[in-house]
Amino acid sequence: MQHSVEFRHITKYFPGVKALDDVSFSAKGGEVLAFLGENGAGKSTLLKTLNGDYQQTSGDYLLDGKEVHFKSPHEAIEAGVSVIYQERQILMELSVAENIFLGRMPANKFGWIDIKEANNMASEIIKDFGLQIKPQTKVKDLSIAYQQMVEIMKAYSRENLKVICFDEPTASLSDAEIDALFKIIEKLRDEGKVVIYVSHRMSEIKRIADKVAIFKDGKYVTTLDAKTTEEGALIKLMVGRDLGDIYDNLDRNKTIGDELLRVENISSEYVEPVSFTLRKGEVLGFSGLVGAGRTEVMRAIIGADKLTSGKIFIEGKEIVNRSPHEAMKNGIVYVPEDRKTQGILANLDVGKNITIAMLDQNSNKIGVVDTKKEKVIIDEGIKDFSIKTPNDKKKIVELSGGNQQKCIVARSMATQPKVLILDEPTKGIDVGAKSEFYQMICRFAKQGLGVILISSELPEIIGLSDRIIVMGNLKIAGEVMRKDATEERILSLAMSEGGKGNGK
């Protein structure tokens, strides 16, 4: 049976924000429909409205031609609708099998839970996914990628599944795991399920999607053929402008200054001795395969991991960073890759997220915060970084991923650093927001900051960096200037050192 979902005039208001504006379109089984749009365009909000996380302000949706209204995700699941979000929704202390069949574990003839049968059933699903994990393994002992796959297997295992939605599912998956996921998606499509796929990765959309639904500013724009529509046309529809080659249009810093940061043979428990320099106004890229040790180097520099050897110098003066807070005082700030768990403070509003690192400077001797001083910093941050929010009191978790990332960068820049370390700053961010971040990075360099950019996207590293350090197997494998940089050369260096380690 081919299932279907139809949205009719769906509108959703949040305080001060119209997140969805009269959205009407349909999705049918037997094809993969991708959602494409900038952060804040309404894609995730529509999914959360469909599965009962949110209640629409007005409008209706139909499942297999029948009007439904789910008041909770549980009701949606019971009706055959599952949404897989970026944030994992699994129980870490339970096994893989227990997570897959949570709430519907098989029972023996005496009514007791049959763990053996659950493990056997889970083994069959794991085999379908082509994964090398055991059903008895506790989820907390799996990698983030495998934890994500467990959540997908949980939805896949439901016999009544009619609609399955994936919201940025590949952010933490390797190429092999993405291949396994796409095989499952194709299987679900061929079974007539409605498959909705949200991603900012154009190559993935071209590969897996049959149709693309475009969203802009909370409105549905149109649906196009994913295979035949040119990428440039899709981008122009979602951002409302032709970005062209975003790297060619950058206003780069043309004057690189004196040495700003010098790292001499630093090592930690997680990385072998590394030495490099960074100059004022320079964008220094760090490239390498997964496990190369890029993040581990930065954690050692900022004191998040204890140094086992080496020295760090700022403008020729040796510094010691025993903690990220001490590194910040010494002029080095780090914007982490995982903004959800290491970047934002989810229970605080936008303003507090921007000023949290400045509490010392904004408080008097007895610890009373000067709110007027804070307000100036908040207003400047929102303006300078074009953060889209109705006001600074809005909870940061209610902003799009790109705007959350801007808040974190605004917080870092409020400390007036000399060195800014950006770890995968555009991960999970749409192409329009990426363009803004690229211009922002160039602006920082023109202001004389030293910028270290970690990115797994080779076009991004090559397009933004003045110089690129390539890591492999927890040490530096080589260095390439921008004019000499090609994807082939960087990959060759990364793979020549093995390219696999214990960290990122």
Side-chain angles (χ1 to χ4, degrees), residues 8 42 55 143 148 249 259 366 373 457 466:
R8 291 182 177 176
Q55 305 302 309
S143 68
Q148 175 89 340
N249 295 331
E259 178 184 287
I366 61 172
K373 195 174 180 181
E457 295 188 27
D466 298 299

Side-chain angles (χ1 to χ4, degrees), residues 88 90-95 99 138-141 147:
R88 295 173 299 285
I90 46 181
L91 298 176
M92 295 293 183
E93 292 296 332
L94 297 185
S95 71
N99 267 280
K138 283 193 174 183
V139 168
K140 70 177 183 180
D141 296 325
Q147 290 174 8

Side-chain angles (χ1 to χ4, degrees), residues 231-251:
E231 184 175 318
L234 294 173
I235 291 172
K236 190 170 184 178
L237 281 169
M238 64 180 269
V239 302
R241 61 192 184 278
D242 188 354
L243 292 176
D245 188 332
I246 52 181
Y247 300 111
D248 288 344
N249 295 331
L250 294 176
D251 184 17

